[in-house]
Amino acid sequence: MTLRSFMQEAVSPWMKNEGPDADIVISTRIRLARNLENVPFPLVAAEEQLQSVYTGTADHFDQRSHRRFGTFSMLPMQSLAGNEKRILVEKHLISPNLARENQHRGVLLSEDESISIMVNEEDHFRTQCLLSGLQLEEGLKAANTIDDWMESKLDLAFDERRGYLTSCPTNVGTGLRSSVMMHLPGLVITNQLNRIIPAINQLGLVVRGIYGEGSEALGSLYQISNQKTLGNAEEDIIKDLKHVVTQLIQHERDARRQLQEHSLNQLEDRVYRSYGILSYSRRMESKEAMERLSDVRLGIDLGILPEVGAEILNELMVMTQPGFLQQYAGMSLEAEERDQRRAALIRERLLMETTQEESDGGGDE
Amino acid sequence: MLCQECEEREASLHFTKIINGEKTEVHLCGVCAKDKGDYLPGGKSFSIHQLLSGLLDSGQGKQTKQEGTRQARQRRPELKCGTCGMTYRRFAEVGRFGCADCYEQFDEKLDPVFQRIHGSTQHTGKVPKRKGEDMHVYRELESLRQQMQQKIEEEEFEEAASLRDKIRGLEESLKEKGGGAS
Ligand SMILES: [Zn+2]
Ligand SMILES: [Zn+2]
C-alpha cells in the first residue's frame, strides 16, 4: 500500500546529503501559495466548500502521473493516525497546522516526496519542493512545473496588479517563500553569527533557528528565507537569497578553517566527546542529540571522523524525533522512554557506519 | 473604526485583552493608548497577529481631523466583501483575507498595507499561462515604451523609431486577438 511505503521509507531525498554545497546547506525549500478563484479561502470557507476543493483536487491529481515527478498520491488527514501525521511534519512534508486538522484536508505527495502539495491549509494549495543541498533554481523550476500543471486544470486566483492572491497579505504576489537550511557550527563557535544576522535581516531576509524555541538554534541549524513576496520576480527573489547564502557559505568555510588552524585540539576534543557520548549513552534528550550530532557532523566535514558518513546528521535529526521513534518502536512512548529509545537508535545507526565500513572494505556504495 | 475611548480619532491599536479568562476587544487611537500606558506595545500581551493587525490598520489613520469628526457624527458604512462577508475591520483583526474578491473590495486601503509589508504594491513576477496570455504582451509593451522614451530623450531617433514599430506591431496583434476571441 502506498501509504505504508510513504511512512516506512523514512529517508526523503532532502535528507540524503547530496547536491551542491551539501557540507553546509542541508536542504532547499521552495513554497508557492495558491488559491482557487471562486471559493473562499480555507479559514473562512464553509464545510461543503472545503470538501469541494478537496475532492476536486483529488479528482484531478490523486494517482495521476506527471511525466517528470511520477505518480502523486493524496493522503487525507482524516484517515491518518496521529503518529503518521507527526512523521509527515518531522519530514517537513506538511505543517503542524495541517496536522491538527482532519476533515477535507490532505497532502498530495510525489513518489519521491520531493514535491508536496498541502490542500486546504491556510491557502487552498501550498506547493512545496524540498531538495537536498543548495538548489534554489532547480527547486523553483520544479515548483513552477507543478504550478503550471495545476493551473492547467484549476482556475487560480490571480490579479494583474497584486499577483497570486493569498489568505495572508504577507504572501501575496508571487506566493513564494524560498528557504535554505544551513549548518553553521563554525560561525556559531567563533561567535560571528550574531554579528551577521542583523546584516542579513537588513536585506529583507529572515534568519531563524530550525529546532529549539525562540532565538535558540539547536545544532547550529538555521533557516534563511525571503520575507517579501510582492514586487520582485521569482527569479530575482531567488537570486538575492542565493547571493546571501553563497556569502554565508564562504564565511562558514573561513570560520572552519580558522578553527582547524588555531584550535585544532579543542575542535577534535569537542568532536570526539560528542561522538563518544552518542556512541555509548543510554539516555539522550532531543536537545542534546541535536547538539552532539552537529559536533559530529562538523568533525565529519573536517575529516576528523572519516569513517562516519555525513548524512547521519540529516537522517538522525529527523529520525530521533518523537514520531519516528514511536514508529520504530511500534508503540507510543512517554518522554522518558523516548530518551532511551533515542539513545539506542543513535547507537545503532553509528554502529551501522563502522560495521559497514569493515564489511565492504571502505568502498562507498 | 473609531477609538472606543474618545470616540473621535481613528483607532490604530486593536487587540484582545484577556482578564480571568474574559475576552475583551480593545480599540484605541494612539493618543488614548498612550494615556492607558499598559496597552502600549512592549507588554507581553501582544501576539504577532495583533502586531500585524496594527500594521494593517495603520493604512486608514491618515485622514484629516475634519474627516475624523464628520465620521464621528455619521458613521460611514463599513467596508465589506460582498462575496465572503469579510469586513475590513475583521480583516484588520485577524490579518487574513476571506476570499480573492476581498482584494478588490478593500482595494482603497491596501496600497499602504502592501507598501509597508513588501515595499511594493505591484506584482512583477509569474503570470499564469492560461489567464495571463495577454499580460505578457502588456508588460512587453510597457517596457518597450519606456525604452522608446529613453531613446527620444537621448535623441537616438532612429532607434526610437524602430522601437515604435515594434510597439505598433504588438498593439496590432493584441487588437486582432481581442477581436477574434470575444
Ligand atoms: Zn482615542
Ligand atoms: Zn471576500
Side-chain angles (χ1 to χ4, degrees):
Chain A
M1 191 197 171
T2 49
L3 179 64
R4 184 144 296 167
S5 66
F6 278 126
M7 293 303 168
Q8 286 184 340
E9 177 54 57
V11 177
S12 280
W14 71 268
M15 296 179 226
K16 284 186 183 147
N17 201 59
E18 298 160 347
D21 301 305
D23 58 329
I24 292 169
V25 178
I26 306 289
S27 65
T28 298
R29 191 177 81 110
I30 298 288
R31 185 221 68 194
L32 299 175
R34 298 289 187 255
N35 285 282
L36 292 171
E37 211 169 32
N38 293 317
V39 186
F41 301 148
L43 296 174
V44 168
E47 185 81 20
E48 63 272 16
Q49 290 169 318
L50 289 172
Q51 186 179 13
S52 81
V53 174
Y54 182 87
T55 51
T57 312
D59 285 349
H60 283 301
F61 303 105
D62 188 21
Q63 300 312 317
R64 296 300 162 95
S65 186
H66 183 277
R67 79 196 124 69
R68 191 171 143 208
F69 297 98
T71 305
F72 279 72
S73 303
M74 177 81 99
L75 307 186
M77 287 303 118
Q78 202 178 358
S79 62
L80 295 185
N83 203 55
E84 292 173 315
K85 293 187 192 177
R86 186 177 241 175
I87 286 178
L88 289 173
V89 174
E90 290 170 359
K91 290 172 98 169
H92 302 178
L93 297 176
I94 66 172
S95 66
N97 276 337
L98 190 77
R100 274 191 282 275
E101 301 280 354
N102 280 314
Q103 285 261 313
H104 317 311
R105 263 81 174 188
V107 61
L108 266 166
L109 283 181
S110 70
E111 259 168 85
D112 70 350
E113 300 183 351
S114 66
I115 306 277
S116 73
I117 304 165
M118 288 192 282
V119 181
N120 284 334
E121 211 248 24
E122 180 184 300
D123 294 297
H124 291 139
F125 308 108
R126 288 277 177 102
T127 301
Q128 166 184 284
C129 177
L130 193 52
L131 299 173
S132 176
L134 180 58
Q135 302 196 61
L136 284 163
E137 293 91 349
E138 294 80 356
L140 179 63
K141 215 170 144 195
N144 269 331
T145 304
I146 294 301
D147 187 43
D148 293 342
W149 189 39
M150 294 176 72
E151 200 246 333
S152 71
K153 311 201 180 210
L154 305 166
D155 290 319
L156 298 181
F158 180 84
D159 177 76
E160 291 185 12
R161 238 173 357 126
R162 309 298 195 195
Y164 290 94
L165 305 179
T166 54
S167 166
C168 184
T170 58
N171 292 318
V172 73
T174 57
L176 168 67
R177 191 123 295 140
S178 50
S179 48
V180 171
M181 194 203 295
M182 304 183 80
H183 185 224
L184 301 172
L187 292 174
V188 172
I189 295 171
T190 57
N191 270 324
Q192 295 181 72
L193 198 62
N194 289 337
R195 218 160 30 79
I196 297 174
I197 289 175
I200 299 178
N201 291 338
Q202 290 218 312
L203 297 168
L205 301 174
V206 185
V207 184
R208 63 169 159 256
I210 294 185
Y211 297 99
E213 287 139 37
S215 57
E216 197 184 16
L218 289 179
S220 303
L221 290 163
Y222 291 86
Q223 179 174 284
I224 328 282
S225 52
N226 69 297
Q227 192 166 29
K228 296 171 181 180
T229 56
L230 181 68
N232 287 320
E234 290 80 355
E235 290 73 16
D236 295 331
I237 292 174
I238 298 244
K239 216 198 292 170
D240 290 349
L241 177 61
K242 187 171 179 183
H243 182 69
V244 168
V245 168
T246 310
Q247 281 185 311
L248 262 178
I249 292 173
Q250 202 48 55
H251 286 308
E252 171 66 20
R253 295 223 166 99
D254 290 346
R256 291 181 185 187
R257 202 170 309 124
Q258 257 177 42
L259 286 171
Q260 269 180 308
E261 277 169 19
H262 303 295
S263 4
L264 183 60
N265 183 252
Q266 285 109 305
L267 183 66
E268 285 181 333
D269 185 62
R270 181 179 177 131
V271 169
Y272 278 114
R273 265 171 201 280
S274 287
Y275 185 57
I277 287 170
L278 289 176
S279 302
Y280 292 105
S281 67
R282 261 48 187 174
R283 305 167 74 84
M284 180 68 60
E285 285 184 17
S286 66
K287 206 169 155 179
E288 184 181 2
M290 215 60 94
E291 297 293 357
R292 302 289 177 198
L293 284 167
S294 167
D295 289 343
V296 167
R297 172 65 198 261
L298 178 62
I300 297 166
D301 289 335
L302 295 180
I304 298 171
L305 288 170
E307 69 277 19
V308 188
E311 69 282 0
I312 61 148
L313 171 71
N314 318 18
E315 277 176 32
L316 285 177
M317 73 185 190
V318 172
M319 292 174 61
T320 57
Q321 304 279 320
F324 267 107
L325 289 175
Q326 297 184 130
Q327 167 84 3
Y328 190 59
M331 57 175 152
S332 77
L333 304 166
E334 298 297 316
E336 191 111 326
E337 299 170 298
R338 286 205 298 269
D339 290 350
Q340 294 177 34
R341 299 268 181 170
R342 182 176 294 113
L345 189 141
I346 292 172
R347 289 199 314 268
E348 203 175 323
R349 181 68 187 83
L350 288 178
L351 209 60
M352 244 168 76
E353 290 292 307
T354 41
T355 49
Q356 195 184 0
E357 193 75 15
E358 278 156 23
S359 64
D360 65 22
D364 41 343
E365 270 293 301
Chain B
M1 73 177 306
L2 288 176
C3 168
Q4 66 185 42
E5 214 36 47
C6 58
E7 293 190 56
E8 211 176 281
R9 287 170 291 259
E10 231 9 71
S12 56
L13 281 157
H14 308 268
F15 51 92
T16 313
K17 224 182 161 185
I18 302 176
I19 303 165
N20 301 330
E22 275 279 316
K23 272 201 208 172
T24 335
E25 284 190 348
V26 183
H27 309 279
L28 295 172
C29 69
V31 178
C32 295
K34 228 176 220 152
D35 290 345
K36 302 184 155 251
D38 59 319
Y39 291 144
L40 277 175
K44 292 227 160 91
S45 55
F46 278 80
S47 74
I48 287 174
H49 262 183
Q50 287 156 351
L51 287 173
L52 182 63
S53 66
L55 180 72
L56 292 174
D57 226 72
S58 62
Q60 65 180 18
K62 283 183 185 163
Q63 65 207 139
T64 61
K65 213 172 186 179
Q66 220 177 359
E67 276 171 336
T69 40
R70 187 170 355 110
Q71 219 181 8
R73 255 179 266 122
Q74 174 194 347
R75 288 184 181 232
R76 199 161 52 137
E78 216 180 352
L79 269 184
K80 186 172 178 176
C81 171
T83 309
C84 73
M86 177 72 78
T87 60
Y88 185 81
R89 181 183 146 189
R90 179 91 189 114
F91 162 67
E93 280 165 10
V94 298
R96 296 289 187 281
F97 291 102
C99 75
D101 291 342
C102 288
Y103 280 86
E104 194 60 46
Q105 306 288 331
F106 304 154
D107 189 63
E108 55 180 282
K109 297 200 169 189
L110 293 181
D111 271 2
V113 172
F114 293 145
Q115 192 65 43
R116 280 221 190 177
I117 300 175
H118 300 284
S120 171
T121 60
Q122 173 86 39
H123 177 61
T124 57
K126 184 174 180 178
V127 172
K129 283 206 176 81
R130 219 157 29 101
K131 243 187 141 176
E133 252 177 43
D134 290 347
M135 257 201 73
H136 292 291
V137 185
Y138 283 120
R139 278 206 190 151
E140 170 85 23
L141 270 173
E142 192 51 42
S143 139
L144 285 173
R145 284 193 190 111
Q146 274 173 17
Q147 288 174 40
M148 182 174 75
Q149 204 50 47
Q150 182 76 28
K151 292 295 170 198
I152 291 173
E153 278 165 28
E154 292 164 5
E155 306 197 346
E156 307 262 11
F157 297 114
E158 226 165 286
E159 286 176 51
S162 88
L163 284 167
R164 182 202 55 208
D165 293 343
K166 257 195 205 164
I167 291 169
R168 282 193 183 151
L170 281 176
E171 283 171 342
E172 285 301 312
S173 75
L174 270 179
K175 263 186 222 153
E176 279 165 32
K177 247 176 37 194
S182 67

